[in-house]
Amino acid sequence: MTVLFSQTSIIKTHLCPNLCSGALQSFETQQEEGAARASYPGNWSSTRGGLCCSTLKLVVGGVVVKYSSSSVDMEEEGGLDSDGRTYSSRKEMWEAEAGEDPNGSDAKSIAKKLEWYHKGVSYWESVEASVDGVLGGYGSVNARDVADSNAFILEMFNECPPGAGDLVALDCGAGVGRVTKNFLLHHFHEVDLVEPVHHFLDKAQADLGSNGTARGSANSNNPKTHRAVNFYCTPLQDFSPEAGRYDVIWVQWCIGHLTDHDFIAFFKRAQAGLKPGGFFVLKENIAKNGFVVDKSDSSVTRSDAYFRDLFKQTGLHLQKTKLQKGFPKDLFAVRMYALTSEPRIMSAPPSQPTRASRRRNQPRKIH
Ligand code: SAH
């Protein structure tokens, strides 16, 4: 499968023979690199593209010395796809995969982009409508996933307390409603789902009950009054949320289907759907470097640096981020990012009075 776990083997093939076998050393500047070359005369090789992009390496007695230049423009960080093709930059990849270029609105670009999205949805249309299906056979990670999402949202609510009134969330790329049922309905009075694949959304609607309440999941945190309300069958690149409706817009394991342009446009547009003080959470697989394209379902796994660069372009503020813990080692790392319209400063806890101020505040006799 693709969205969660794709191409671990490719990463191993490309990285391990060179980068995992010896001690690694990074040089931050060209001066450091020059000094290393001078003190280790030998057979240096430089690689651009792929996960080894922008690396310069020297193998001396089994020790790999790795140079990664911090001055390299993020745009230049390359990646690879599931067929083993390497790309020297994101720009090259998006042009090849989805006909997307900075000014690209010609007919060829549009057709390629439609093809990219069509392939993504077609892939999921052939997948069984179940938790195991949307998790690529790793249904067993559901509980760990939900536990860390719970902890993350509670920390965020602590930092950015929601306003009074009923809490409302949007579950993006909702699949069969796994996130809504097991997590969002425990915190929010109303949840809307947006998902482009009909049979997933039908399953979600059936599971969450005709009145939207998750069947069999009512408990003290998830009372019957908490309901899934709207089920939108639309891909994110075409979706605009109702203005000011949501406390939280949760985007999990689906943003890899969006091109960079549509990623940025979605977050910019969807901000209008947030209540004042509301926020986004993006929970996604993370590539070690650059990106990995999965040709079978038209998705891209981006690196942490890649995400941060896109966040800057959305104008949103990265308020908090955490790694998911406890997933099997052969899966991509997963990270949660909370994005706010503007930085939220936590109100400082009341400061403990110092000894001096304590004395000053003691009752004193007036002479
Ligand atoms: N978020 C859910 C489902 C993850 S599987 C969960 O964690 O359980 C990935 C989901 O992304 C699938 O439901 C798939 O149909 C959806 N998807 C594919 N292309 C999409 C697009 N362009 N916009 C939104 N969702 C998309």
Side-chain angles (χ1 to χ4, degrees):
M1 123 120 203
T2 42
V3 168
L4 266 175
F5 315 108
S6 56
Q7 313 322 331
T8 309
S9 57
I10 290 175
I11 293 169
K12 284 189 178 139
T13 328
H14 282 253
L15 283 178
C16 286
N18 298 325
L19 299 184
C20 300
S21 57
L24 294 180
Q25 189 182 340
S26 291
F27 303 126
E28 296 303 322
T29 64
Q30 302 223 345
Q31 282 78 6
E32 283 180 35
E33 176 207 332
R37 274 178 184 268
S39 49
Y40 297 103
N43 199 10
W44 288 79
S45 66
S46 87
T47 321
R48 294 187 71 77
L51 287 174
C52 304
C53 64
S54 308
T55 59
L56 178 65
K57 61 178 186 286
L58 169 67
V59 184
V60 187
V63 176
V64 179
V65 181
K66 175 180 162 246
Y67 162 66
S68 45
S69 168
S70 54
S71 62
V72 172
D73 186 340
M74 261 306 298
E75 276 291 331
E76 288 304 310
E77 199 176 23
L80 77 162
D81 71 20
S82 46
D83 293 341
R85 173 175 172 182
T86 57
Y87 300 91
S88 60
S89 67
R90 306 175 197 174
K91 188 168 174 288
E92 183 194 335
M93 182 273 285
W94 284 120
E95 274 171 12
E97 294 292 340
E100 187 165 271
D101 66 77
N103 335 297
S105 56
D106 60 89
K108 183 173 156 255
S109 299
I110 292 167
K112 262 209 127 191
K113 198 156 167 171
L114 285 176
E115 194 188 321
W116 164 269
Y117 283 120
H118 176 72
K119 224 168 136 185
V121 167
S122 300
Y123 170 85
W124 288 107
E125 280 170 346
S126 68
V127 170
E128 183 191 88
S130 66
V131 167
D132 223 32
V134 294
L135 295 184
Y138 281 81
S140 56
V141 304
N142 175 64
R144 287 308 308 237
D145 168 54
V146 168
D148 283 20
S149 297
N150 275 326
F152 192 74
I153 200 107
L154 291 175
E155 282 180 35
M156 271 306 289
F157 279 159
N158 206 23
E159 278 178 38
C160 307
D166 283 359
L167 298 186
V168 186
L170 175 66
D171 182 358
C172 295
V176 295
R178 180 189 70 88
V179 173
T180 293
K181 179 176 177 174
N182 299 315
F183 162 56
L184 292 171
L185 280 173
H186 293 249
H187 299 275
F188 298 88
H189 300 89
E190 294 188 0
V191 180
D192 294 344
L193 292 83
V194 53
E195 162 60 46
V197 171
H198 277 281
H199 79 295
F200 283 176
L201 204 60
D202 290 348
K203 172 80 168 100
Q205 202 153 5
D207 222 29
L208 294 166
S210 51
N211 66 355
T213 309
R215 285 208 176 112
S217 62
N219 59 37
S220 54
N221 287 327
N222 187 16
K224 279 217 148 68
T225 51
H226 287 203
R227 301 184 314 125
V229 177
N230 296 302
F231 296 80
Y232 302 108
C233 196
T234 318
L236 279 194
Q237 67 274 14
D238 298 336
F239 182 75
S240 297
E242 184 187 320
R245 172 162 166 76
Y246 301 107
D247 295 279
V248 171
I249 297 182
W250 191 271
V251 186
Q252 180 161 355
W253 279 327
C254 63
I255 208 70
H257 287 290
L258 265 62
T259 64
D260 285 358
H261 175 272
D262 290 344
F263 177 117
I264 295 161
F266 169 73
F267 279 99
K268 282 186 168 172
R269 192 171 66 239
Q271 264 190 84
L274 291 173
K275 290 180 189 169
F279 55 89
F280 293 94
V281 175
L282 177 69
K283 186 164 186 176
E284 224 6 287
N285 290 346
I286 303 294
K288 278 195 175 164
N289 303 89
F291 53 83
V292 184
V293 179
D294 193 318
K295 303 282 284 185
S296 64
D297 71 352
S298 288
S299 71
V300 57
T301 302
R302 297 167 168 103
S303 68
D304 178 55
Y306 194 152
F307 276 119
R308 287 170 193 253
D309 183 55
L310 293 183
F311 296 152
K312 273 195 201 132
Q313 297 182 57
T314 66
L316 290 163
H317 168 72
L318 177 55
Q319 178 76 23
K320 182 182 213 56
T321 177
K322 272 215 158 146
L323 271 174
Q324 167 72 43
K325 296 213 174 79
F327 275 8
K329 289 278 174 287
D330 57 333
L331 305 185
F332 276 121
V334 171
R335 191 172 267 284
M336 291 169 276
Y337 300 96
L339 301 160
T340 52
S341 301
E342 41 203 51
R344 304 286 297 269
I345 317 291
M346 262 177 84
S347 51
S351 57
Q352 291 294 317
T354 59
R355 277 189 125 220
S357 68
R358 227 180 285 147
R359 250 183 265 123
R360 268 201 303 276
N361 291 334
Q362 277 168 357
R364 282 193 199 165
K365 252 200 195 149
I366 303 169
H367 296 289

